[in-house]
Amino acid sequence: MKPNVAAALEALSHLDTTVNPAALKAQSRDFFWYSPVLKARLDGVVADFAVSPATEEEVIEVLRTCYAHDCPVTTRGAGTGNYGQAMPLAGGCVLNLRKLNRVKEIHPGRLIVEPGAILKDIDAATRAHSGQELRMFSSTWATASIGGFIAGGSGGVGSVRWGSLRDLGNIIRLRVVTMEAEPRILEFRGEELARVSHAYGTNGIITELEMPLAPAYDWVDLMLAFEDFPAAAAYADALANQDGILIKLATVIEAPAPALYFQRLKGRVTDTQSLVLLMVAPQAIDAFETFTARRGAAQILYRSDDCDWERGPGLVFEYAWNHTTLRALKVDPAITYLQVRYAFPDHLERVEEIRQVFGDEVLQHLEIMRTNGKVHAAGLSLVRFTTEERLDEIVRLHEEMGCMIFNPHRYTLEEGGRQSVDAIQLGFKREADPKGLLNPGKMISWEDPDWRYERMYAYPGLKDQA
Ligand code: FAD
């Protein structure tokens, strides 16, 4: 079917639409450039038009109209994804949900919110209302939307305590609109959530979310320096295993990355020091100090509740998760990253084996987190990029050594995930998006069911307007 984009745009022109080239380019990109592989392939991607609906009714009108004119629709929250998730590979319409941003209801332990609400604004509203906060958030808290976090993210600050978004209980309910001749509104709970959670908007548009809340605290930010990386990793892992000490972040960054890339720490951290970044609840500080004194070997470089620096470092979580990579990239554009799963129980041994093989070509950046109640590590390793072939070889060697890679140098769900078809998401796409108009090119099992994953998938419909 040949899209009739002009007719779709004409029919939607009474809504907040734009064809301004600069605005379109800005609304067609995310942080794909973290990956030199994606940058080489997606830099010219741009939509034909963007529309910013203000209500669910307007979302439905956009979907109904684009369905009638076979016009692809790619949803955008705040465009802070890293894998080109919100980029319209086939052009067409960008459905920008920034105006659908109301915090609708706040109750003890939960909230009802629209998808375009920014994580920081949500926390401000729930803290003011009843001293509550989101359980977890991406470190892009200040700019990312809750809809984009659920549809494109995986976990983040808080995952050391609550696990990841795919863990039961971390999403309560999702309201979803389908892409059919007459769009339907569906409500998902429990098992059904996996249909659209982390589905990149390929099979439905989330128009309302019900999310769990936790008590809000004035978290104490800390940076601890260690001369020995394995000791730093073991300390962070042991602290996260302390059931009585409430923390929201435990990050380990291998020397010399902090000295090289954390410019706000210039002169305060040496190139032999690895850092552990923490967020500790104020009521847990005594226990934290006792635990840390027992273990020794750590130098407290910074703590937000006792700092005489002329200019503080800012929020500690903006040195963690994929902010670590951003800071490194700003200093050295040759840096890229990997996403490694170091699974319980031998996660720390795996990290050491990887360190022995790659040396400073791959610097370790660990996010200590929980999965099924077990503390382990997610690796967002900093990689010195040379060639795509070498990057693929580094990925292959990690996998041969038993470390699963969620490849951030791919734009499809399957390659960025577990290299396999997600039958639940594919099944729902067949029902909810029968023409395959939602975010084309991002679900291989829809585009090419016989695909074998032997090389990087290249979406044939990629419209490159470079
Ligand atoms: P977008 O990028 O706009 O969209 C993400 C995906 O969701 C796209 O596929 C889009 O089509 C889809 N989508 C958006 N809204 C909807 C909707 N309402 N319905 C259906 N589909 C929708 N990610 C993490 O998980 N944890 C981190 O800690 C983290 N740290 C980061 C740090 C930096 C510096 C950067 C650049 C990125 C980081 N990310 C992280 C990635 C990204 O910031 C987060 O996943 C973020 O929450 C995405 O929200 P967004 O609004 O920007 O989504």
Side-chain angles (χ1 to χ4, degrees):
M1 73 230 159
K2 181 136 172 42
N4 189 339
V5 172
L9 174 58
E10 170 61 32
L12 295 171
S13 55
H14 60 291
L15 298 181
D16 179 357
T17 57
T18 182
V19 292
N20 170 287
L24 274 189
K25 181 166 182 179
Q27 294 188 52
S28 299
R29 295 161 76 84
D30 66 11
F31 284 66
F32 71 105
W33 44 266
Y34 265 42
S35 163
V37 176
L38 297 185
K39 183 154 174 42
R41 290 161 177 77
L42 304 184
D43 218 9
V45 165
V46 70
D48 292 291
F49 71 94
V51 57
S52 300
T55 64
E56 184 182 70
E57 292 69 29
E58 288 185 5
V59 169
I60 290 172
E61 181 180 358
V62 172
L63 298 178
R64 183 188 300 117
T65 304
C66 288
Y67 182 90
H69 295 290
D70 297 321
C71 176
V73 173
T74 300
T75 308
R76 184 180 184 83
T80 69
N82 291 110
Y83 327 127
Q85 300 112 305
M87 295 180 71
L89 302 190
C93 165
V94 158
L95 176 69
N96 190 325
L97 295 180
R98 59 194 166 86
K99 291 165 89 173
L100 224 59
N101 61 3
R102 288 179 304 142
V103 174
K104 297 171 88 170
E105 294 176 34
I106 301 172
H107 304 282
R110 61 192 181 87
L111 104 133
I112 297 174
V113 65
E114 290 184 325
I118 300 303
L119 301 168
K120 179 178 182 180
D121 298 339
I122 294 170
D123 269 353
T126 52
R127 272 178 179 264
H129 175 273
S130 43
Q132 303 184 89
E133 64 183 19
L134 290 167
R135 280 182 175 179
M136 73 181 79
F137 51 79
S138 51
S139 64
T140 37
W141 172 79
T143 51
S145 75
I146 186 77
F149 184 41
I150 299 313
S154 57
V157 183
S159 289
V160 67
R161 168 65 188 81
W162 297 102
S164 55
L165 287 169
R166 52 186 303 130
D167 289 323
L168 286 177
N170 284 332
I171 301 171
I172 298 171
R173 174 180 59 84
L174 296 176
R175 182 180 169 96
V176 176
V177 178
T178 65
M179 180 59 156
E180 300 170 278
E182 187 45 48
R184 290 176 293 144
I185 299 173
L186 306 170
E187 299 260 346
F188 290 156
R189 291 172 182 275
E191 292 295 358
E192 297 162 328
L193 294 167
R195 294 178 177 183
V196 292
S197 167
H198 202 83
Y200 293 4
T202 55
N203 55 14
I205 311 304
I206 300 165
T207 55
E208 184 183 275
L209 305 92
E210 188 170 349
M211 296 295 289
L213 295 174
Y217 297 111
D218 292 330
W219 298 90
V220 179
D221 281 359
L222 293 123
M223 294 181 174
L224 279 63
F226 289 75
E227 289 301 330
D228 175 72
F229 175 78
Y235 166 86
D237 187 65
L239 178 64
N241 274 293
Q242 290 293 310
D243 296 332
I245 301 179
L246 182 57
I247 61 174
K248 192 163 188 165
L249 181 78
T251 304
V252 194
I253 300 168
E254 183 181 8
L260 288 175
Y261 306 132
F262 293 175
Q263 294 176 298
R264 290 274 285 273
L265 305 186
K266 237 177 209 359
R268 295 185 186 276
V269 59
T270 69
D271 58 12
T272 58
Q273 288 178 321
S274 297
L275 287 192
V276 171
L277 313 178
L278 300 171
M279 290 167 66
V280 179
Q283 66 272 28
I285 277 294
D286 289 350
F288 155 78
E289 286 171 345
T290 306
F291 172 82
T292 303
R294 278 184 192 167
R295 293 214 34 133
Q299 176 203 346
I300 297 186
L301 214 60
Y302 165 75
R303 53 184 291 174
S304 58
D305 61 349
D306 178 11
C307 172
D308 59 0
W309 297 15
E310 204 175 305
R311 186 172 172 234
L315 293 168
V316 79
F317 68 74
E318 290 185 346
Y319 292 79
W321 291 90
N322 239 337
H323 267 83
T324 312
T325 318
L326 183 62
R327 289 178 186 271
L329 262 169
K330 282 185 176 168
V331 172
D332 183 349
I335 296 295
T336 188
Y337 72 119
L338 281 184
Q339 290 176 156
V340 190
R341 179 178 172 74
Y342 292 115
F344 175 85
D346 53 5
H347 45 291
L348 297 182
E349 291 81 357
R350 284 282 100 78
V351 170
E352 277 316 296
E353 287 164 11
I354 292 287
R355 287 183 71 216
Q356 300 318 314
V357 169
F358 293 105
D360 62 5
E361 183 182 18
V362 178
L363 284 181
Q364 291 300 317
H365 159 203
L366 305 177
E367 294 295 343
I368 306 296
M369 62 180 288
R370 269 180 166 74
T371 298
N372 297 330
K374 302 286 188 247
V375 171
H376 68 102
L380 283 115
S381 317
L382 298 171
V383 178
R384 173 161 304 291
F385 180 74
T386 48
T387 64
E388 290 195 17
E389 292 69 28
R390 176 60 183 158
L391 189 59
D392 287 345
E393 187 182 27
I394 292 172
V395 168
R396 184 175 51 76
L397 290 170
H398 273 75
E399 288 172 337
E400 284 173 6
M401 294 171 70
C403 305
M404 188 179 198
I405 297 283
F406 297 92
N407 197 336
H409 303 286
R410 303 289 186 269
Y411 51 75
T412 64
L413 281 160
E414 295 91 343
E415 292 168 299
R418 297 165 187 268
Q419 309 288 328
S420 57
V421 174
D422 182 318
I424 294 173
Q425 295 186 347
L426 175 61
F428 184 57
K429 185 172 178 77
R430 288 192 179 120
E431 174 197 334
D433 177 24
K435 285 188 177 179
L437 293 171
L438 291 180
N439 212 351
K442 304 284 174 60
M443 190 189 282
I444 302 177
S445 47
W446 170 273
E447 310 290 353
D448 181 347
D450 301 326
W451 184 252
R452 287 277 160 275
Y453 300 97
E454 280 130 12
R455 62 187 190 289
M456 180 177 181
Y457 176 74
Y459 172 52
L462 181 57
K463 263 181 70 180
D464 186 345
Q465 291 92 6

